[in-house]
Amino acid sequence: MDPTYEHECNISEAAGKPFPVDDLIQVYTSKIVSYIEEHRLNKDSNTADKPPFLLVYTPDNTHVPVYASSKFRGTSRRGLYGDAVQELDWSVGQILQTIRNGHNENERDTIVFFTSDNGAQGGHGNLGSMGPFKCMKGTTWEGGVREPALIWGFPYGSVFPTNEVRMQLSTTMDIFPTILELLSTEYEASSSLQIDTVNKMDGKSLLNILQDNHKPSLHESFIYWRGDVIYAIRLNAYKIHFYTEGCTSYWVPGRTNVTSKPIVYNIEEDIEEKYPINATLVPELYKQIVNKAMIIRDNMYENLKHDKSKNPPQLNYCDPAAALYYPDYPVPPSNISECVYS
């Protein structure tokens, strides 16, 4: 349920009547509830007639521009942004309740993943906060990429333990292989999803850590990309920065700094990325961590040296006219050029 797709399909007709943009979350929620009821919750049909479904809901709120419907406008103590958060919370609640309403003892388990694609964005009326994490969206500091996630299984306890917290390293890329393992699907054996030297999954199934809190993450490392450049690498408890960015407005150019030598943090003990490891005081530890990170970085670059005419970097070209601008902000003329991250 991608809002962009809905716009292309003329969402006014989908809603059955013209409506203001502030009502988008209301419309999305209504359509999602109807979809689930039509596909899974027809009580007059047998369970065998109810095929499994995959629904991806990517609401544009609480991104900018921030909005809320009349039902929620003015109901929070945090202005329009707070109103938008409350409406999104309501939307998710409606979806989960619809799943509960249609459950019976023969119903298949339903898994819900709830997360974000990046950290909060500041400014422009967006009052999101990353708490103790450094900076916000648009940087490779922890505040730019780290976000919480909730995994909800119904009926409760059928697949995962309930009311537990996991702190192991994971990414949104892990959702796909987790679903495959839940479905007992061998990715390599699928005729349409063959793994080869070009197509490879970066995600890892989460089932091992979801079912046992004592199991380690399958990710030894994690790469922080900016365009087609590796800015930082997470290596177990450590994070190594090759480039850093200032906490400026998301679209301000010239925000990247090339570090004279890699900056290393123990990200588990220093979540605010305030106190880098002193290469002079602990030279062997620093050297060991940096050397391993450089090997990971160089191997990744080497692995991507396949035919770029067939698989060009996704962010290889930038166009200022395609960036996010407010209605009262003049959109610059289109000027497609190679992206510059410096």
Side-chain angles (χ1 to χ4, degrees):
M1 184 67 62
D2 189 324
T4 303
Y5 176 80
E6 291 294 314
H7 289 312
E8 292 173 353
C9 290
N10 192 339
I11 197 167
S12 291
E13 293 181 5
K17 61 179 181 179
F19 67 97
V21 69
D22 290 352
D23 286 336
L24 279 175
I25 297 299
Q26 296 289 320
V27 174
Y28 296 150
T29 306
S30 175
K31 288 176 64 63
I32 289 172
V33 168
S34 296
Y35 175 88
I36 296 174
E37 290 176 342
E38 291 170 3
H39 286 75
R40 301 288 280 124
L41 307 180
N42 183 355
K43 297 183 182 299
D44 295 330
S45 64
N46 296 323
T47 301
D49 298 329
K50 300 177 182 179
F53 69 92
L54 172 68
L55 188 148
V56 181
Y57 177 31
T58 56
D60 45 356
N61 225 353
T62 58
H63 202 292
V64 291
V66 180
Y67 62 86
S69 69
S70 58
K71 291 183 179 180
F72 289 89
R73 187 178 289 266
T75 60
S76 76
R77 293 184 293 178
R78 296 215 37 204
L80 185 57
Y81 182 80
D83 301 343
V85 171
Q86 290 195 158
E87 185 161 28
L88 182 60
D89 179 70
W90 167 85
S91 176
V92 174
Q94 292 295 301
I95 296 168
L96 299 185
Q97 189 58 52
T98 304
I99 294 172
R100 293 188 190 98
N101 291 344
H103 178 77
N104 60 60
E105 61 182 9
N106 296 317
E107 190 74 31
R108 294 184 179 93
D109 297 326
T110 302
I111 308 298
V112 178
F113 293 87
F114 181 86
T115 187
S116 175
D117 59 341
N118 48 248
Q121 178 174 347
H124 306 298
N126 189 317
L127 303 177
S129 169
M130 288 306 297
F133 301 113
K134 192 170 186 176
C135 295
M136 289 189 169
K137 173 185 175 180
T139 75
T140 48
W141 295 104
E142 287 301 279
V145 295
R146 188 187 289 213
E147 68 278 331
L150 299 173
I151 301 179
W152 183 86
F154 193 81
Y156 303 115
S158 58
V159 178
F160 309 126
T162 59
N163 300 320
E164 292 191 3
V165 177
R166 299 290 185 267
M167 299 299 293
Q168 294 92 325
L169 176 63
S170 61
T171 87
T172 52
M173 296 182 291
D174 297 337
I175 295 176
F176 179 52
T178 301
I179 292 174
L180 291 180
E181 187 170 357
L182 281 168
L183 297 175
S184 299
T185 300
E186 291 294 336
Y187 184 78
E188 295 88 341
S190 172
S191 59
S192 61
L193 296 172
Q194 289 291 331
I195 288 183
D196 53 34
T197 57
V198 175
N199 302 307
K200 184 178 180 180
M201 277 199 297
D202 293 310
K204 311 288 185 182
S205 174
L206 295 171
L207 283 190
N208 67 321
I209 62 174
L210 292 176
Q211 295 174 339
D212 186 347
N213 193 27
H214 299 290
K215 292 287 183 66
S217 170
L218 295 180
H219 291 281
E220 179 188 19
S221 63
F222 176 78
I223 294 177
Y224 298 70
W225 290 92
R226 188 136 180 94
D228 53 3
V229 177
I230 295 175
Y231 269 39
I233 290 178
R234 169 78 179 268
L235 183 58
N236 294 321
Y238 298 98
K239 183 176 177 183
I240 302 91
H241 290 267
F242 300 107
Y243 302 88
T244 60
E245 303 144 290
C247 302
T248 58
S249 175
Y250 183 57
W251 299 113
V252 173
R255 59 185 176 272
T256 299
N257 302 311
V258 180
T259 61
S260 58
K261 61 181 180 180
I263 302 173
V264 181
Y265 296 93
N266 185 324
I267 206 66
E268 293 185 355
E269 297 180 0
D270 178 21
I271 62 173
E272 298 179 81
E273 293 174 283
K274 280 187 174 182
Y275 309 104
I277 290 177
N278 192 315
T280 302
L281 294 179
V282 284
E284 290 303 318
L285 175 63
Y286 177 88
K287 182 179 179 180
Q288 178 184 359
I289 295 169
V290 170
N291 285 349
K292 191 166 186 178
M294 286 181 170
I295 292 173
I296 294 172
R297 179 193 63 181
D298 295 344
N299 286 343
M300 177 58 72
Y301 282 144
E302 185 66 28
N303 290 339
L304 293 176
K305 285 183 179 178
H306 53 74
D307 188 351
K308 289 191 176 183
S309 65
K310 296 180 180 179
N311 293 279
Q314 291 187 352
L315 298 179
N316 204 35
Y317 295 96
C318 293
D319 185 356
L324 178 64
Y325 293 97
Y326 276 78
D328 57 349
Y329 190 95
V331 177
S334 178
N335 180 24
I336 300 175
S337 60
E338 187 172 351
C339 295
V340 177
Y341 296 94
S342 61

